Amino acid sequence: MQYRAGEEEQQAQSKKALKKQQKEAEKAAKKAEKQAKLAAEQQEADEDDFAKDRYGICPMVQSQQKLDRALVRVQDLTPEKAEQQIWVRARIHTSRAKGKQCFLVLRHQQFTVQALLAVGDRASKQMVKFAANLTKESIIDVEAVVKKVEQKIESCSQQDVELHVERIFVISQSEARLPLQLEDAVRPEGEGDEEGRATVNQDTRLDNRVIDLRTTTSQAIFRLQSGVCQLFRDTLINKGFVEIQTPKIISAASEGGANVFTVSYFKTSAYLAQSPQLYKQMCICADFDKVFCVGPVFRAEDSNTHRHLTEFVGLDIEMAFNYHYHEVIDSITDTMVQIFKGLRDRFQTEIQMVNKQYPSEPFKFLEPTLRLEYKEAVAMLKAAGVEMGDEEDLSTPNEKLLGRLVKDKYDTDFYVLDKYPLAVRPFYTMPDPNNPKYSNSYDMFMRGEEILSGAQRVHDAQLLTERAMHHGIDLEKIKAYIDSFRYGAPPHAGGGIGLERVTMLYLGLHNVRQTSMFPRDPKRLTP
């Protein structure tokens, strides 16, 4: 009996297995049928796809061939080009399919243009579908006819034309998931919150800087910054200055003090230069008369503020003068005024672009530049209710307040503060000949924030030694510096400007990281 029951169970099991096999066979047959059908459809589609040579993904460009094909820049797409057939290379900024049409916005640098694909004698259904499925930020080549539009395209920089696409080829495909959306990254502050739309926080931007730098705002900021450097160089070269290059690895801290980075240097230690100070002065002692340099400056300050970086670009100036250090102040302020004028006249597009996301008042300056004495500034602050001593250094809030007071009284965002108390300046600062409590030193301010610190330097070895001892500096460590002045040194003065700060304050931005391409601060060493 038992044996029979076991047999029945076995039979039931084999029936089950058989059924399972049958089901799987049916499933496989269905799958094969479906695949065959898809392949047939694809083949049919390929055969039907009269436009299949007009689109696709190009093989990787490995410089296989030299194409005699001129590419037109997006910014040059104007009504003058209407009805011309052209090639353009750009990124896909946005795309949306609508029935038998696909609208693309193509972007190159800070410029955008609308492009249209429509099913017709030039584009097949498959071609439109291909275009609609391309990932944002992919780089494509398109052949298109430039068409004038009746109604301005408000969402693009090229508002008077659109492209009617006839060919479209992918040069470099972007991954579908972007770490941040460009439209979120350019949304004006506050606007996103009201409409519940996303905005991108600073760390996300800086972690994905390559994409953040593609935004119209970033493109404008760094093009304008490049303009600051060019205007600085051109103006000084016209004034007879010589550009110099100075070492960044040095044997002793250039400014004295603890805020210096130590690096290992073979069997000993060296430091990263906090300023090209010593070398600028050596060049003056070597009869170059007027020098400037543009290069990195390192500060090991653990300051996590909106305006401090541990590495920034210094625009440094040093010049010999005849009888009074105000000759140098005049040279520097005139250089700054030439920069401000050049930015105003040549970079309006960029200024407007940044203003869209970060609105601010246009930057105001006077000619000649306003120069106030430190005592006057203290009097203005005291009159405004600030309690401070005559020889006390300005705190950041007081600098800001002074900026507002000066703007109200003189209507300028740029001014010089002259004759600082000697006690708050470095050892190499020349004391004021008429009042030993003050010095021949000055700061320059933009929108109430300091952008330049400078002074007449002590050019006499004896006085320099005394000043260094007064500051408790180890003379052995600055021997080379002091020795530079033993063989006849012209009277000279200079100063150092922070490029990122100038860019930030000119544009009225609120964080120096926005104007540093790959910022370095105490918490950030990448990318």
Side-chain angles (χ1 to χ4, degrees):
M1 252 345 244
Q2 240 180 349
Y3 167 73
R4 197 113 157 248
E7 208 172 79
E8 276 173 15
E9 203 174 306
Q10 256 179 338
Q11 276 177 339
Q13 270 182 341
S14 55
K15 262 186 193 169
K16 250 189 201 168
L18 207 67
K19 257 189 186 168
K20 197 176 177 187
Q21 269 177 332
Q22 273 174 329
K23 250 188 187 167
E24 275 176 7
E26 275 169 38
K27 220 178 183 179
K30 265 185 188 168
K31 197 175 178 186
E33 195 183 327
K34 197 176 177 186
Q35 276 175 330
K37 197 174 165 190
L38 275 173
E41 274 175 19
Q42 187 60 47
Q43 196 178 343
E44 202 179 315
D46 285 348
E47 282 161 15
D48 286 356
D49 188 1
F50 63 88
K52 63 172 178 286
D53 297 331
R54 298 182 154 274
Y55 67 94
I57 295 171
C58 291
M60 185 197 293
V61 177
Q62 287 183 292
S63 306
Q64 298 92 324
Q65 53 181 350
K66 293 180 179 179
L67 274 187
D68 189 23
R69 178 191 292 168
L71 296 174
V72 177
R73 297 184 306 172
V74 169
Q75 72 191 83
D76 297 331
L77 296 173
T78 55
E80 287 75 53
K81 291 229 179 346
E83 300 310 317
Q84 289 184 23
Q85 189 141 5
I86 52 138
W87 279 93
V88 172
R89 177 168 295 179
R91 287 186 186 276
I92 294 178
H93 186 59
T94 59
S95 72
R96 61 187 170 91
K98 201 176 174 188
K100 293 184 170 183
Q101 291 182 320
C102 173
F103 289 93
L104 301 171
V105 172
L106 304 183
R107 190 187 80 248
H108 178 241
Q109 296 173 347
Q110 67 265 57
F111 304 98
T112 49
V113 67
Q114 180 168 287
L116 169 69
L117 270 93
V119 174
D121 56 351
R122 288 307 207 176
S124 61
K125 207 163 61 194
Q126 296 91 329
M127 179 170 167
V128 172
K129 189 179 173 188
F130 171 82
N133 287 329
L134 289 175
T135 49
K136 273 190 201 179
E137 294 302 297
S138 292
I139 298 171
I140 57 170
D141 277 0
V142 296
E143 187 183 27
V145 177
V146 182
K147 296 281 187 187
K148 269 191 204 170
V149 291
E150 304 282 302
Q151 226 178 341
K152 277 189 182 295
I153 301 166
E154 297 292 342
S155 58
C156 292
S157 69
Q158 310 312 99
Q159 301 192 338
D160 304 311
V161 294
E162 67 178 7
L163 300 179
H164 289 199
V165 176
E166 300 194 346
R167 295 172 194 265
I168 181 165
F169 293 101
V170 177
I171 298 298
S172 174
Q173 220 166 348
S174 167
E175 288 188 8
R177 275 193 67 135
L178 294 170
L180 57 97
Q181 297 299 325
L182 271 82
E183 53 267 38
D184 294 343
V186 294
R187 195 163 280 127
E189 292 164 312
E191 206 174 274
D193 312 338
E194 288 160 29
E195 298 165 24
R197 287 184 180 163
T199 49
V200 183
N201 74 30
Q202 190 171 270
D203 277 333
T204 307
R205 287 174 185 278
L206 296 178
D207 290 341
N208 303 284
R209 194 59 158 157
V210 170
I211 293 180
D212 183 47
L213 287 173
R214 292 178 190 174
T215 65
T216 47
T217 308
S218 294
Q219 287 280 320
I221 288 171
F222 291 103
R223 283 166 198 284
L224 181 131
Q225 187 171 81
S226 165
V228 174
C229 279
Q230 193 187 342
L231 288 159
F232 179 75
R233 279 199 168 94
D234 292 351
T235 307
L236 291 174
I237 284 167
N238 286 339
K239 288 178 182 288
F241 279 71
V242 176
E243 181 168 6
I244 59 168
Q245 306 297 337
T246 64
K248 305 299 172 239
I249 304 174
I250 56 175
S251 64
S254 25
E255 302 272 335
N259 55 349
V260 56
F261 288 111
T262 309
V263 290
S264 64
Y265 195 73
F266 303 107
K267 289 192 171 135
T268 171
S269 288
Y271 303 98
L272 293 180
Q274 297 154 295
S275 123
Q277 180 75 37
L278 163 62
Y279 301 98
K280 291 191 302 179
Q281 291 189 259
M282 282 174 148
C283 289
I284 300 301
C285 294
D287 294 346
F288 281 93
D289 273 0
K290 304 172 179 179
V291 298
F292 74 92
C293 61
V294 177
V297 173
F298 302 91
R299 299 278 163 94
E301 284 176 58
D302 195 0
S303 297
N304 294 286
T305 75
H306 76 284
R307 62 191 193 132
H308 283 93
L309 293 168
T310 51
E311 178 182 349
F312 63 88
V313 177
L315 307 178
D316 270 272
I317 296 178
E318 202 73 27
M319 69 179 266
F321 61 81
N322 297 332
Y323 297 106
H324 201 290
Y325 74 98
H326 283 178
E327 296 164 34
V328 180
I329 290 187
D330 293 343
S331 248
I332 299 175
T333 53
D334 183 59
T335 301
M336 294 309 294
V337 166
Q338 295 310 320
I339 291 173
F340 301 150
K341 280 183 172 171
L343 295 178
R344 179 194 67 197
D345 300 342
R346 295 190 215 167
F347 289 88
Q348 253 339 294
T349 313
E350 284 76 7
I351 292 166
Q352 296 312 322
M353 232 163 226
V354 176
N355 260 332
K356 267 189 203 161
Q357 187 173 1
Y358 303 105
S360 74
E361 295 285 310
F363 188 81
K364 287 192 168 175
F365 54 94
L366 300 175
E367 268 188 288
T369 300
L370 171 70
R371 192 176 72 240
L372 293 174
E373 289 214 351
Y374 197 81
K375 290 174 187 169
E376 296 173 72
V378 173
M380 281 170 82
L381 285 167
K382 283 182 171 170
V386 173
E387 287 182 20
M388 65 176 288
D390 290 346
E391 291 164 49
E392 206 178 303
D393 204 359
L394 289 182
S395 64
T396 305
N398 283 347
E399 280 179 0
K400 276 281 207 204
L401 172 58
L402 183 61
R404 285 197 295 276
L405 298 173
V406 168
K407 179 86 185 259
D408 292 345
K409 189 170 176 182
Y410 300 99
D411 198 29
T412 177
D413 285 310
F414 178 62
Y415 67 96
V416 183
L417 203 49
D418 190 19
K419 296 279 176 207
Y420 268 72
L422 184 62
V424 302
R425 303 302 270 202
F427 74 94
Y428 48 74
T429 308
M430 183 66 82
D432 181 324
N434 305 317
N435 184 341
K437 285 190 168 167
Y438 288 89
S439 65
N440 295 352
S441 65
Y442 43 88
D443 277 7
M444 294 183 190
F445 294 87
M446 286 172 68
R447 298 194 203 257
E449 292 196 32
E450 174 235 316
I451 54 132
L452 172 139
S453 206
Q456 176 182 353
R457 325 296 189 186
V458 175
H459 58 282
D460 173 85
Q462 186 51 45
L463 179 56
L464 196 55
T465 305
E466 286 167 24
R467 294 299 308 149
M469 284 164 71
H470 176 81
H471 276 257
I473 289 166
D474 180 352
L475 293 178
E476 217 19 68
K477 285 203 166 144
I478 56 164
K479 185 178 183 302
Y481 179 61
I482 293 173
D483 287 348
S484 312
F485 303 102
R486 294 196 188 279
Y487 311 104
H492 61 280
I497 304 162
L499 171 66
E500 294 85 351
R501 248 185 225 189
V502 169
T503 313
M504 165 179 86
L505 294 164
Y506 183 81
L507 289 168
L509 298 171
H510 300 298
N511 197 308
V512 73
R513 288 158 191 79
Q514 293 169 291
T515 54
S516 171
M517 207 167 238
F518 299 101
R520 293 288 173 263
D521 63 32
K523 294 186 165 56
R524 180 171 290 279
L525 254 180
T526 57

